[in-house]
């Protein structure tokens, strides 16, 4: 068997890879601590700013000023990213010179305009030792870090092949929570983790916000994975690629206060568009819905504005999308960029922007451009200098959701007016020959005919392989069974029962339903009996899909789509009646007492004839919404209501992470089914006839955004025309996944249930009862048990989203909930044992020792939820004044936590009371990091007090704290002679016994603080 490389060898090989060839990194073996890191940064500032410094190097007093400025800038990865974005891509440091006559100057620190040239320098360091903050702080060594102009920008943590790469990720998270990424290391923008064979990267964030779901694997231009760490370094960490990743392929989201690093397919698409623009060619980008098209198109627009041959870049949206997320997301991305989001109603402003020579990206509507074209196509102005200037401009049009925004007619008008235009369309659902538009003269009928060739594609199949989106789990809950269809068909004379039974299911369903419509004058599904069945199912049979058993604020949400406003209103009324009549099952209420919270949204003017009735119905539902959330929306503020609804569903803003601010279900006709991004939305209920292939994929894709570890699929439930829908869905998935739909759809319930039974049998063969686990002392048997239990945990989570699971009881499988919880406790003990013995054994551990249980765990009140509520009150970095806070709900949660973990409740309670009085003290900070730091301080103080009191060694106490289990014998080295000097009359025997009892008491005090 090949021995795994040691981490030291891996480091050496990685540094060799980074430093070879031209234009690569320079190895700086001498930079190993804070002092040498700061000294190097000072050297870089002196070298790069000789002119600004007038040849006089920075003095010690001046460098102290610079240091204070940089410590403030590096308080969080987001704040560092804001500074690095700088003015036009140049990050500068203001410096008041010691010689007062020289005034204040600005020093260039990093420039994203000087990549792989100019004043940019690239260095690699390793085994950096972070400064201890106090005597009890732990020394931490970082593996490999890449410096741009002396600033740590990319940090790489390595584990050897015996470990999963997740161990490296957990280590980074731990260091971050311990506050190790501070000082100049607070500038890090990108983390890379690898075990040699598997490599991932993620944008830097505070420890509690680092979400493993966003760890990204690199793929090359052919969408082939690049997993080996040296290959990854060759592709991604070479110069200029690494600097471009930080400088050009990162976006700052001002709304969520996060840095986003683009995924590889986004980078490849941007480069493909760049190459096409250099050839003066148009084209389209096919990136599956849910994979971040708006972000890609935004970055394409930003990069096109840097190309000399292009005069203007115009990002086109349709007027009806102005209140939608595309425009809002653009504003959030553009806040710290040189991109001008024009969302005013002022056509004059747009005219000025087109006339001037500024190289900005203009975001505007089709409608405004049409007004300008009409004006300059008219007799009076068609030969004016301005008209001629417009005709001569080289304009790059970037169109997100390119089929919804621009019709072939409109595009032809624009091409005629802006004679030198380039067009770049973005879509998750291109129109092919198979689903092309109806003929209209010689207008384009497919995406390729409209925009040109596909420049880059990334289908749902590839996105699933790379874990960029989730697959779909599709349930058909048709109120008309096959037998009912056959019976109705016979009664209505569509054919005999036997003849109909012999037909193809789709043909039969269509003909019977058409016959029903002709005879009855209405759709077979358009009745309250059918709708009541749907409401009953959603409210009482989908607790697993909604994940109502999750900690507060972490359940999922759903969309119900129906064919018309009238039916949407009927559904809304039915839901309200069900709730008012108390028809929600007790088992559902037990999981979530205020489920369901429901809203409705549609375009009021969608049907002129019914407009007044629709307005009255909307007014009533707005009143319900206002009562639920304390808002004040009316018919005159529908756009604001829709924006608020979008935000509430997206949960990207802190306040919407609180249960009291969340919705469970929104009823729609077509609103929110395209271009809407809400990661917590996991379910789409469909009660309408089948849509076109592109619309099916668009609608389904509202549910398959990556969110948390428990969200494994976008869940779709279809309530009518199941045979026709199955055919339509299979066709759409085949069309949009480059052939083959198996990877796209979730496995059948029977398949998963079989795996679950097998996993349970394996678990019980290793330990028939939880008590039997204690007898597993052999390391190999312990690993087998841990692996089996992890599988049971994972599969039980997967099964909970299936309707069939609702009808099953655990007793059918020979277990019950309490028994699984007992196994869970034993599993934790086993993992601790494996961790303990890990250091002493040569044989690698064959399981993921850091796996976190997702489903089989009994948490009374969730620590993370309380911290997320507190975080929503912590002022942002730029807030100057904050009023004192009151929130009774948080006080109640802390009181409840005190019942099960008083020590932890005291720490959180102290922090919360302090923050309520003086919120500004905590601005820009991360609640979890604050709490973790306080806990470490408390633990350190308690250990210090103990060792002083009992004259014991600190390392012994720490070892007992990490490994002690009830019933264990305690081995504690003590110094009786030293103790005797302070305490007279205590025998050595009594002293040793009391010290051992005291250390067990200390463990019991400290453990609850660490085990949360």
């Amino acid at each position: 068997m090949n021995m795994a490389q040691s981490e030291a060898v891996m480091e050496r090989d990685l540094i060799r890879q980074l430093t070879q060839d031209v234009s690569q990194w320079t190895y700086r073996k001498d930079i190993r601590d804070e002092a040498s890191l700061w000294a190097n940064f000072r050297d870089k500032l002196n070298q790069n700013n000789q002119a600004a410094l007038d040849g006089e190097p920075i003095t010690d007093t001046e460098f102290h000023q610079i240091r204070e400025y940089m410590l403030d800038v590096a308080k969080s990865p987001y704040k560092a990213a804001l500074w690095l974005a700088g003015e036009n891509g140049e990050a500068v440091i203001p410096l008041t010179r010691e010689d007062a006559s020289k005034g204040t100057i600005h020093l260039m620190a990093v420039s994203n305009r000087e990549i792989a040239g100019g004043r940019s320098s690239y260095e690699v360091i390793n085994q950096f030792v972070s400064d201890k903050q106090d005597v009890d702080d732990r020394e931490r060594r970082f593996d490999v870090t890449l410096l741009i102009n002396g600033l740590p920008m990319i940090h790489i943590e390595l584990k050897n092949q015996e470990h999963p790469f997740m161990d490296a990720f957990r280590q980074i998270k731990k260091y971050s929570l311990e506050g190790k990424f501070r000082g100049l290391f607070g500038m890090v923008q990108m983390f890379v983790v690898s075990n040699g064979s598997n490599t991932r990267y993620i944008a830097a964030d505070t420890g509690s916000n680092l979400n493993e779901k966003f760890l990204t694997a690199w793929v090359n231009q052919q969408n082939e994975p690049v997993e080996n760490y040296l290959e990854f370094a060759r592709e991604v960490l070479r110069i200029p690629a690494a600097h471009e990743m930080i400088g050009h392929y990162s976006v700052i989201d001002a709304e969520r206060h996060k840095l986003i690093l683009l995924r590889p397919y986004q980078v490849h698409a941007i480069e493909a568009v760049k190459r096409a623009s250099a050839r003066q060619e148009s084209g389209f980008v096919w990136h599956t819905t849910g994979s971040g098209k708006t972000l890609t198109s935004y970055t394409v627009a930003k990069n096109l504005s840097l190309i000399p041959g292009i005069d203007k870049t115009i990002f086109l949206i349709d007027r009806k999308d102005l209140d939608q997320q595309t425009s809002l997301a653009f504003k959030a991305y553009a806040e710290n960029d040189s991109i001008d989001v024009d969302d005013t109603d002022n056509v004059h402003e747009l005219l000025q922007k087109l006339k001037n020579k500024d190289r900005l990206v203009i975001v505007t509507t089709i409608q405004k451009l049409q007004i300008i074209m009409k004006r300059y196509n008219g007799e009076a102005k068609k030969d004016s200098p301005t008209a001629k200037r417009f005709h001569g401009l080289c304009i790059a049009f970037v169109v997100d959701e390119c089929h919804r925004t621009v019709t072939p007619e409109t595009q032809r008008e624009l091409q005629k007016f802006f004679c030198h235009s380039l067009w770049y369309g973005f879509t998750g659902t291109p129109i092919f020959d198979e689903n092309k538009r109806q003929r209209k003269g010689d207008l384009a009928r497919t995406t390729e005919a409209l925009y040109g060739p596909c420049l880059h594609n990334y289908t749902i199949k590839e996105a699933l392989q790379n874990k960029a989106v989730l697959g779909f789990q599709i349930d058909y809950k048709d109120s008309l069974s096959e037998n009912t269809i056959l019976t109705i068909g016979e009664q209505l004379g569509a054919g005999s029962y036997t003849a109909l039974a012999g037909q193809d299911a789709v043909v039969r369903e269509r003909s019977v339903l058409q016959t029903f419509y002709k005879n009855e004058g209405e759709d077979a599904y358009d009745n309250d009996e059918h709708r009541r069945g749907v409401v009953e199912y959603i409210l009482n049979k989908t607790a697993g899909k909604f994940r109502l058993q999750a900690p507060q604020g972490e359940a999922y949400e759903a969309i119900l789509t129906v064919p018309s406003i009238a039916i949407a209103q009927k559904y809304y009324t039915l839901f309200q009646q069900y709730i008012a009549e108390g028809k929600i099952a007790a088992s559902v209420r037990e999981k979530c007492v205020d489920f369901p919270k429901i809203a409705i949204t549609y375009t009021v003017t969608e049907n002129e004839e019914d407009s007044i009735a629709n307005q009255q119905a909307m007014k009533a539902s707005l009143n319900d919404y206002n009562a639920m959330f304390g808002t004040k929306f009316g018919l005159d503020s529908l756009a604001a209501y829709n924006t608020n609804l979008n935000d509430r569903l997206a949960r990207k803003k802190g306040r919407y992470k609180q249960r009291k601010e969340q919705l469970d279900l929104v009823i729609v006709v077509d609103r929110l089914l395209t271009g809407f991004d809400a990661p917590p939305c996991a379910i789409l209920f469909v009660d309408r006839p089948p849509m076109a292939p592109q619309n099916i994929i668009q609608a389904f894709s509202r549910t398959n955004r990556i969110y948390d570890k428990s969200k494994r699929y976008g869940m779709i439930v279809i309530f009518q025309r199941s045979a026709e829908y199955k055919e339509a869905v299979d066709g759409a998935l085949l069309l949009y996944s480059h052939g083959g739909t198996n990877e796209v759809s979730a496995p059948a319930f029977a398949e998963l249930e079989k795996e679950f039974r097998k996993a349970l049998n394996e678990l019980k063969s290793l330990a028939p009862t939880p008590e039997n686990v204690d007898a597993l002392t052999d390391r190999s048997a312990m690993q087998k048990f841990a692996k089996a239990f992890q599988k049971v945990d994972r599969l039980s989570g997967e099964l909970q989203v299936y309707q069939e699971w609702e009808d099953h009881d655990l007793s059918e499988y020979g277990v019950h909930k309490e028994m699984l919880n007992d196994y869970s406790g034993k599993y934790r003990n086993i993992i601790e044992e494996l961790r303990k013995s890990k250091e002493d054994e040569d044989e690698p551990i064959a399981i993921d020792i850091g796996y976190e249980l997702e489903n089989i765990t009994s948490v009374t009140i969730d620590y993370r939820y309380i911290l997320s509520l507190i975080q929503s009150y912590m002022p942002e970095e730029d807030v100057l004044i904050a009023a004192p806070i009151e929130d009774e709900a948080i006080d109640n949660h802390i009181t409840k936590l005190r019942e099960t973990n008083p020590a932890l409740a005291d720490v959180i309670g102290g922090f919360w009371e302090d923050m309520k009085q003086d919120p500004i003290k905590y601005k820009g900070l991360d609640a979890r990091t604050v709490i973790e730091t306080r806990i470490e301080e408390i633990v350190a103080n308690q250990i210090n007090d103990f060792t002083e009191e009992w004259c014991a060694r600190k390392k012994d106490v720490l070892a007992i704290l990490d490994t002690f289990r009830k019933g264990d014998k305690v081995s504690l080295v003590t110094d009786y002679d030293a103790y005797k000097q302070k305490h007279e009359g205590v025998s050595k025997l009594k002293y040793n016994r009391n010290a051992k009892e005291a250390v067990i008491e200390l463990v019991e005090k400290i453990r609850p603080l660490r085990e949360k």
Side-chain angles (χ1 to χ4, degrees):
M1 183 178 116
N2 287 337
M3 285 294 290
Q5 276 186 314
S6 73
E7 283 169 31
V9 171
M10 288 174 71
E11 257 181 54
R12 185 199 66 206
D13 289 352
L14 176 61
I15 291 167
R16 187 186 295 146
Q17 171 61 48
L18 290 165
T19 53
Q20 69 186 14
D21 299 333
V22 292
S23 192
Q24 291 290 311
W25 302 87
T26 303
Y27 180 41
R28 291 293 302 271
K29 193 177 180 177
D30 54 315
I31 301 174
R32 286 283 166 91
D33 57 19
E34 298 274 352
S36 52
L37 187 68
W38 282 103
N40 183 53
F41 179 55
R42 182 172 176 171
D43 288 345
K44 295 290 179 289
L45 289 176
N46 277 322
Q47 284 166 28
N48 286 332
N49 295 280
Q50 287 179 6
L53 289 164
D54 267 347
E56 288 181 26
I58 296 160
T59 67
D60 288 350
T61 306
E62 288 169 348
F63 194 64
H64 177 74
Q65 194 189 133
I66 289 168
R67 192 183 173 114
E68 290 304 303
Y69 178 83
M70 292 305 296
L71 287 173
D72 182 58
V73 156
K75 267 187 182 168
S76 72
Y78 175 72
K79 195 168 182 184
L82 285 179
W83 176 73
L84 284 164
E87 279 290 315
N88 295 319
E90 194 158 281
V92 297
I93 301 169
L95 174 65
T96 305
R97 304 262 10 207
E98 199 174 344
D99 178 348
S101 67
K102 295 188 181 293
T104 299
I105 59 170
H106 287 84
L107 304 178
M108 190 286 291
V110 184
S111 173
N112 294 326
R113 294 179 303 181
E114 297 182 8
I115 291 181
R119 294 169 290 174
S120 293
S121 68
Y122 304 99
E123 294 159 321
V124 54
I125 63 172
N126 71 320
Q127 290 301 304
F128 180 90
V129 180
S130 72
D131 274 0
K132 286 186 172 194
Q133 301 305 304
D134 54 52
V135 288
D136 297 307
D137 194 13
R138 287 169 238 181
E139 184 177 274
R140 295 296 187 202
R141 284 178 177 271
F142 294 146
D143 288 349
V144 177
T145 310
L146 306 181
L147 314 180
I148 299 179
N149 285 18
L151 292 172
M153 291 287 188
I154 298 171
H155 178 63
I156 305 153
E157 202 63 40
L158 299 170
K159 293 287 172 195
N160 68 19
Q161 280 98 336
E162 289 173 359
H163 297 260
F165 69 82
M166 280 301 295
D167 277 3
F169 176 71
R170 290 182 194 111
Q171 193 157 314
I172 282 176
K173 201 165 170 143
K174 183 180 178 186
Y175 288 176
S176 184
L177 287 168
E178 289 174 358
K180 293 298 173 191
F181 289 101
R182 53 160 75 102
L184 284 184
F185 261 81
M187 297 303 303
V188 169
Q189 299 288 284
M190 173 177 173
F191 291 125
V192 177
V193 294
S194 182
N195 66 350
S197 309
N198 303 100
T199 307
R200 301 288 181 273
Y201 70 94
I202 191 168
D205 207 336
T206 49
S208 59
N209 288 326
L210 279 170
N211 183 345
E212 66 187 68
K213 279 285 177 183
F214 297 103
L215 284 166
T216 303
W218 190 260
V219 296
N220 62 21
Q221 287 187 13
Q222 287 72 47
N223 289 323
E224 297 160 343
V226 177
E227 288 280 10
N228 178 278
Y229 77 121
L230 298 178
E231 281 179 37
F232 180 89
R234 247 190 313 274
E235 282 243 355
V236 186
L237 301 180
R238 64 186 165 77
I239 302 300
H243 194 164
E244 282 176 338
M245 194 66 165
I246 302 298
H248 290 170
Y249 299 137
S250 64
V251 172
I252 301 167
D253 185 337
E255 186 185 10
R256 286 189 290 169
H257 280 231
K258 279 191 183 301
L259 171 73
I260 302 167
L261 290 177
L262 297 192
R263 289 173 175 262
Y265 59 86
Q266 294 174 307
V267 172
H268 298 323
I270 292 160
E271 288 172 345
V273 172
K274 262 195 216 169
R275 289 192 295 273
S277 69
R279 301 189 300 266
Q280 289 287 295
E281 286 176 10
S282 301
F284 74 96
V285 171
W286 169 16
H287 279 189
T288 189
T289 306
S291 63
K293 276 194 318 304
T294 301
L295 189 57
T296 313
S297 57
Y298 168 82
T299 318
V300 159
K302 184 172 84 169
N303 280 285
L304 283 171
S305 68
L306 304 173
I307 293 170
I310 294 172
D311 297 310
K312 300 280 175 189
T313 302
I314 296 180
F315 187 94
L316 277 182
I317 52 176
D318 187 78
R319 184 168 53 210
K320 65 175 178 284
D321 287 341
L322 275 175
D323 70 324
Q324 295 302 303
Q325 284 179 314
T326 299
S327 176
L328 297 173
F330 245 76
K331 278 184 240 178
Y333 303 150
E335 198 167 296
N336 305 292
D337 252 328
S338 56
I339 289 198
D340 179 27
V341 180
D342 160 38
D343 60 350
T344 68
D345 289 325
N346 191 334
V347 175
H348 176 73
E349 257 183 59
L350 176 57
L351 258 176
Q352 296 315 307
K353 284 167 188 163
L354 285 170
K355 282 179 184 178
N356 70 29
K357 298 215 167 131
D358 294 347
R359 304 185 57 75
L360 294 177
V361 175
I362 303 167
V363 182
T364 192
T365 63
I366 288 281
Q367 288 80 1
K368 276 191 229 172
L369 276 176
Q370 285 173 319
I371 292 168
I372 286 172
M373 287 193 296
K374 198 173 176 186
R375 189 178 299 174
Y376 286 93
N377 277 332
E379 281 303 317
K381 294 193 173 180
K382 68 174 185 181
D383 294 321
S384 66
T386 303
K388 284 176 180 163
R389 170 161 165 67
F390 288 166
H391 297 328
L393 284 176
C394 179
I395 292 186
F397 285 104
V398 178
V399 194
D400 190 31
E401 295 297 351
C402 63
H403 295 295
R404 194 176 73 227
T405 305
V406 182
T407 63
E409 295 98 314
T410 308
Q411 193 206 38
R412 186 170 282 184
E413 276 178 58
L414 285 161
Q415 284 173 325
K416 214 168 159 187
F417 188 79
F418 297 105
C419 314
H420 303 289
S421 57
L422 294 170
W423 288 79
Y424 301 107
F426 287 78
T427 180
T429 48
I431 295 173
F432 302 111
D433 276 340
E434 291 91 331
N435 58 327
K436 64 188 171 193
R437 293 175 166 174
Q438 288 185 336
R439 186 183 302 284
K440 199 170 181 185
D442 65 342
L443 289 170
R445 299 170 67 193
T446 65
T447 311
E448 188 162 345
L450 201 57
Y451 288 93
C454 179
L455 300 173
H456 190 262
N457 67 44
Y458 186 71
T459 70
I460 191 164
K461 194 171 170 182
E462 288 141 359
L464 283 165
Q465 283 165 358
N466 300 330
K467 298 185 170 60
V469 299
L470 304 171
F472 299 115
Q473 186 232 0
I474 305 167
D475 282 332
Y476 295 92
K477 300 292 162 202
D478 200 326
S479 61
L480 301 181
S481 66
E482 189 176 330
N483 184 50
T484 308
I485 290 279
L486 289 166
T487 307
I488 291 172
E490 188 170 50
Q491 286 168 356
L492 294 175
S496 72
Y497 192 99
T498 316
L500 287 168
Q503 283 181 358
D504 172 77
V506 180
V507 172
R508 175 176 63 236
E509 190 180 78
R510 275 198 193 118
S511 70
V512 170
L513 292 176
Q514 278 167 7
T515 307
F516 184 95
Y517 187 79
K518 277 178 195 163
N519 282 31
E520 306 295 323
E522 63 178 29
D523 188 273
Y525 294 96
D526 187 5
N527 57 76
D528 276 352
E529 188 187 346
H530 166 75
R531 284 189 279 273
R532 273 194 289 271
V534 170
V535 170
E536 167 67 25
Y537 173 83
I538 290 173
L539 293 183
N540 290 325
K541 295 288 185 184
T542 55
K545 287 186 189 298
F546 278 98
R547 200 169 164 253
L548 295 185
Q549 77 281 7
Q552 279 211 52
E554 292 184 27
Y556 302 142
E557 61 202 16
I559 293 172
L560 165 62
T561 176
V562 298
S564 68
I565 291 174
I567 291 175
Q569 290 164 348
K570 284 175 184 172
Y571 262 120
Y572 185 79
T573 305
L574 270 177
F575 274 111
Q576 297 300 350
Q577 280 173 8
Y578 253 70
I579 295 163
E581 291 164 12
K583 288 184 179 175
I584 294 157
S587 60
V588 173
R589 284 286 165 121
E590 269 170 35
K591 294 184 177 84
C592 185
V593 71
D594 59 354
F595 177 84
K597 293 195 273 182
I598 294 173
I600 184 170
T601 179
Y602 48 79
T603 309
V604 169
T605 55
E606 210 166 287
N607 183 339
E608 286 302 329
E609 201 179 312
D610 301 327
S611 190
I612 292 166
N614 289 344
Q615 284 180 24
Q616 291 311 309
M618 181 52 99
K619 200 171 176 182
S621 56
L622 283 174
N623 290 340
D624 293 341
Y625 188 89
N626 291 335
M628 203 160 32
F629 298 119
T631 49
K632 291 180 179 172
F633 297 112
L635 286 174
D636 58 345
S637 54
L638 273 180
Y641 162 70
N642 285 332
T643 299
N644 184 268
L645 181 87
N646 290 357
D647 286 347
R648 204 173 290 283
L649 291 168
R651 296 188 203 165
K652 289 172 186 174
K653 293 176 178 171
R655 61 180 293 195
Y656 300 121
K657 289 180 168 55
Q658 304 175 59
R659 172 63 196 163
K660 66 178 183 182
E661 296 286 358
Q662 292 173 354
L663 276 166
D664 298 303
L665 177 74
V666 61
I667 304 165
V668 307
V669 181
D670 292 317
R671 267 205 89 241
L672 306 183
L673 295 188
T674 55
F676 176 65
D677 175 32
C681 179
I683 317 158
L684 177 73
F685 297 114
V686 183
D687 190 29
R688 62 190 292 170
M691 302 167 269
Q694 62 272 26
N695 297 339
I696 286 176
I697 297 296
Q698 286 281 1
F700 282 21
S701 297
R702 298 315 102 207
T703 65
N704 75 335
R705 306 298 205 265
I706 302 286
Y707 182 49
D708 60 13
K709 282 195 297 187
S710 300
K711 186 179 176 187
R712 293 184 174 89
Y713 300 104
M715 294 170 274
I716 316 296
V717 184
I718 292 166
F719 293 112
Q720 58 169 274
R721 293 172 166 82
S722 51
E724 199 180 338
Y725 249 114
K726 273 178 192 158
E727 182 182 67
V729 167
D730 285 350
L733 290 174
L734 198 65
L735 188 61
Y736 288 112
S737 66
H738 261 351
T741 59
N742 288 348
E743 298 98 328
V744 179
S745 303
F749 175 78
E751 194 184 317
L752 270 185
E753 192 205 24
K754 191 177 168 187
E755 269 191 70
F756 180 65
R757 283 185 191 276
K758 196 175 159 192
L760 263 179
N761 290 339
E762 194 179 333
L763 181 75
K764 290 169 89 176
S765 72
L766 293 162
T769 69
E771 291 69 38
N772 295 127
V773 178
D774 297 334
L776 301 175
T777 51
D778 169 61
R779 197 160 172 270
S780 168
M782 287 160 79
Q783 285 194 59
K784 279 179 185 164
F785 167 79
K787 197 170 187 177
F789 189 75
Q790 287 176 2
K791 195 168 185 185
V792 169
D793 177 66
R794 181 179 59 77
L795 288 166
S796 74
E798 288 205 38
L799 283 165
Q800 280 169 26
V801 304
Y802 287 80
Q803 157 63 40
E804 292 91 333
W805 184 251
E806 299 275 335
D807 304 325
H808 283 262
D809 193 82
L810 277 172
S811 58
E812 293 173 44
Y813 303 95
V815 288
H816 49 80
K817 196 176 176 187
E818 290 69 28
M819 187 178 180
L820 286 176
N821 278 333
D822 290 344
Y823 271 123
S824 164
K826 301 293 182 186
Y827 165 82
R828 291 175 199 279
N829 294 348
I830 289 278
I831 289 294
E832 280 306 316
E833 286 298 319
L834 288 171
R835 276 204 177 101
K836 238 195 301 182
S837 60
K838 186 174 163 185
E839 310 305 322
D840 318 322
E841 302 278 348
D842 292 331
E843 188 195 335
I845 288 185
I847 59 160
D848 181 358
I849 206 160
Y851 176 87
E852 287 178 31
L853 295 179
E854 293 171 38
N855 304 292
I856 306 166
T857 181
S858 47
V859 179
T860 316
I861 182 76
D862 190 66
Y863 160 72
R864 281 179 308 147
Y865 179 60
I866 298 177
L867 289 192
S868 75
L869 293 183
I870 293 174
Q871 186 71 53
S872 69
Y873 285 111
M874 291 178 84
E876 302 295 0
E877 189 60 56
D878 48 4
V879 170
L880 297 175
I881 302 165
I885 299 158
E886 279 303 325
D887 188 329
E888 213 175 291
I890 294 178
D891 298 332
N892 294 339
H893 284 312
I894 294 170
T895 304
K896 199 168 177 191
L897 178 62
R898 196 164 272 113
E899 293 168 16
T900 53
N901 195 333
L904 185 59
D906 286 344
V907 179
I908 296 176
F911 164 43
W912 173 232
E913 289 306 318
D914 192 30
M915 207 191 94
K916 281 199 290 187
Q917 298 313 309
D918 188 8
I920 215 76
K921 192 159 86 178
Y922 296 98
K923 71 173 188 172
L925 295 180
D926 173 53
R928 189 164 166 192
T929 306
V930 173
I931 290 291
E932 297 284 346
T933 306
R934 285 194 176 199
I935 287 170
E936 288 304 317
E937 283 169 12
I938 290 165
V939 169
N941 290 337
Q942 289 181 351
I943 290 170
N944 280 345
D945 292 347
F946 178 88
T947 52
E948 213 170 292
E949 165 74 13
W950 293 98
C951 302
R953 294 189 311 192
K954 190 181 286 187
K955 69 173 189 177
D956 290 344
V957 178
L958 287 170
I960 293 166
L961 180 61
D962 287 339
T963 59
F964 177 78
R965 287 279 163 263
K966 229 174 189 157
D968 284 1
K969 285 184 179 173
V970 172
S971 172
L972 181 68
V973 177
T974 48
D975 185 344
Y976 177 63
D977 292 334
Y979 184 82
K980 201 166 56 173
Q981 287 172 18
K982 292 188 277 181
H983 304 80
E984 288 178 16
V986 180
S987 72
K988 188 170 186 178
L989 187 68
K990 191 177 179 186
Y991 159 62
N992 282 333
R993 189 175 66 242
N994 288 353
K996 285 175 183 177
E997 284 171 5
V999 81
I1000 292 170
E1001 202 178 303
L1002 178 71
V1003 167
E1004 284 168 356
K1005 254 169 81 177
I1006 287 175
R1007 279 268 170 85
L1009 289 172
R1010 287 186 154 181
E1011 293 176 356
K1012 25 185 203 306

